[in-house]
Amino acid sequence: MTEGKFKIFDAHLHVHGIFLNPEESLIDYMDRHGVDKAVITTTNRAASSKLYAGKDDSKSNEEHGEKINEAFKKFKNMIPKTQLDHQDVIEISRKAPGRFYKFFWFNPRIKQDMEELNYKILEDHFKKGFCGVKIHSGIHLIKVPRDVIKLASFMQEFNEKIPLFIHSTPKTMYFAGVSTKNIARLADEFPKLRIIVGHAGFAMEYAIECGLNLKRHANIYFETSCSSPYSIFSLVKSLRGQERILFGSDAPITNPIQIEIDKITCLPLTTEQKQDILYNNISKLLN
Amino acid sequence: MIDGYKIYDAHMHVIGRFKKRDESLPQFLDRFGIDRAVITSLNQAANLSTILKSEGNENQSDFIESFVPKGQYDHEIVRQAVKEHPDRLTGIFWFNPRIATEEDWKLLKKYIKEYDFKAVKTQCYLDLLEVPEDLYSIAEFCIEHDVPLFLHSGSGFFFQKSVRANDYYSLFKKYKELKCVILHAAFTMEYCINCLKYFNKLENIYFETSVSIPYGIMTLIKAMGSHRVLYGSDAPAATSPDIEIDKIRILNLDNQTLENVFYNNISRLFGEEP
């Protein structure tokens, strides 16, 4: 194996996003960046920057500010009340079945009278070959572990090996966030549940937190998208090894794939360590 | 210069893992085509050897305390570097107002007045700052001396109150003349959206791009205007500058926007001719 010729298995890819060229299929996009395989899920099309962006110079800052405030109200209303449709994931996967591992983006905050229906949807997707679940704490305002207990139990009962991907969210004006302590409590309660912490590095403090609070949990894995290179490096060091670090891009929504790959290849690690992060670790976890 | 665009990095440190040991700062800048850079000190206690000492035990707030310096950060290396390369480097002072003594304030003033440092930076988490309360004094200092204040963004440690965009908004409401740069302004999409919500009408607030999500950077440029977004890398401490430059290059922005983001905005903020 030589530096620069890595096999790539992206642990966090979406079907759609602005970094995909208009004429390009997702498979072509993967080929262009040398990505062999990917965990794939759908896209929440309601969460688009078009809602807020596009400053009209003919308008005053006051008017533009009002437009942004309106966009926030609109966004809240556009968040799907039901589960997201994953037909796009199914169709893309059919075109190259050996290359995609389908994850279902699930909202566990469901009214009690709708629970049965929603879990039936999830079960049906497991039967269609979906092999993991993603939750987005920031969009669906999910409190961990409280809002995830039923989901985790359901997943464990269906198949203990199905991983749960948790989107990390720091505290914001509208949400208390998901802390590493919250995730540790979930891992304590479900010691066999394979948990993937998404965006595990961010701007350094979160990586330190992950190293401090989660390293004793062997069932927790750390995905690298949207993290600074030093955060990823510090995770490798604080976990005393790269075995639980999974390369992910969050492309083509938030990042282009290449930048996220570069964050791994630029690290002062051995070629073998990089290959583990870029391919082997997620491959082992899912196979 | 990259692709014909001059590059002025608004966020660099004097040392870090992504710089070669035998490489000077100007050589480091040259390697990545960077014309000028804002540099400051680094909290060297917040390094991997400190993290590795922990076994994830319960006494973690004491552990984090070991990151926190008992005095101000030493800026002598920064001052020397700026003195030797004034055409390439601009100094800014990383200051902890929570523990500042009268002597510290005098020292800060000296760096601004005598050594021509152009701004002040604060790091709320590593320096255990309560926001906005602990920032009032430094905000007043910055207004008095007409220098911008650079404010770190991040997720915070578990034992701290996380600093949110609305906490900074409380500061800006109180000090309307204060010019501020929000560092890592799109380090998550959630934070970026909070910035849009709170700061869209505040023309004195600028947004620096290091360790940010490209989609967030694009959103900031489109929503806030290209005159309020500053390219920064946080190199060589957090990353390699080419990665941070590429985040902007791939956004298909027009020439004027690229010139503004890569160079003109930070230059104008410091009152320099771009």
Side-chain angles (χ1 to χ4, degrees), chain B residues 18-85:
Chain B
F18 293 92
K19 184 169 81 61
K20 293 173 188 168
R21 277 181 192 276
D22 56 354
E23 193 175 35
S24 70
L25 268 172
Q27 285 169 337
F28 180 69
L29 299 187
D30 288 344
R31 181 150 63 97
F32 297 102
I34 298 168
D35 299 86
R36 284 189 67 87
V38 168
I39 58 163
T40 190
S41 187
L42 187 68
N43 180 341
Q44 293 182 64
N47 61 23
L48 287 174
S49 59
T50 314
I51 296 166
L52 291 173
K53 282 180 198 159
S54 166
E55 288 302 325
N57 57 34
E58 291 306 311
N59 197 17
Q60 287 167 359
S61 61
D62 286 350
F63 163 71
I64 300 291
E65 272 284 342
S66 64
F67 287 6
V68 182
K70 304 293 176 270
Q72 300 297 330
Y73 299 96
D74 185 359
H75 285 68
E76 181 55 22
I77 307 172
V78 182
R79 187 178 76 83
Q80 281 298 338
V82 171
K83 191 177 169 190
E84 286 168 27
H85 307 283

Side-chain angles (χ1 to χ4, degrees), chain B residues 86-145:
Chain B
D87 54 330
R88 306 292 303 274
L89 303 173
T90 303
I92 72 169
F93 199 101
W94 181 342
F95 193 71
N96 182 348
R98 182 178 59 82
I99 56 166
T101 63
E102 203 173 316
E103 289 304 308
D104 293 334
W105 288 106
K106 280 184 192 163
L107 184 70
L108 176 62
K109 190 173 175 182
K110 188 171 185 176
Y111 269 79
I112 302 290
K113 291 287 176 200
E114 290 182 29
Y115 305 145
D116 202 25
F117 275 40
K118 300 280 190 189
V120 181
K121 170 189 170 164
T122 61
Q123 217 286 13
C124 49
Y125 298 122
L126 291 177
D127 293 341
L128 307 180
L129 303 181
E130 291 285 333
V131 177
E133 297 85 350
D134 285 338
L135 295 177
Y136 293 156
S137 54
I138 192 66
E140 286 165 16
F141 177 93
C142 288
I143 292 167
E144 184 187 340
H145 296 280

Side-chain angles (χ1 to χ4, degrees), chain A residues 8 45 52 63 123 129 159 172 248 287:
Chain A
I8 311 281
R45 288 175 170 82
Y52 326 105
E63 287 171 315
E123 186 177 1
N159 182 342
T172 67
N287 293 294

Side-chain angles (χ1 to χ4, degrees), chain A residues 155-184:
Chain A
M155 289 168 63
Q156 288 282 276
E157 204 170 301
F158 189 88
N159 182 342
E160 277 186 354
K161 290 182 177 173
I162 294 176
L164 175 65
F165 182 104
I166 301 176
H167 171 96
S168 300
T169 309
K171 190 173 182 179
T172 67
M173 64 182 176
Y174 58 85
F175 179 52
V178 175
S179 72
T180 54
K181 291 254 174 182
N182 299 145
I183 296 170

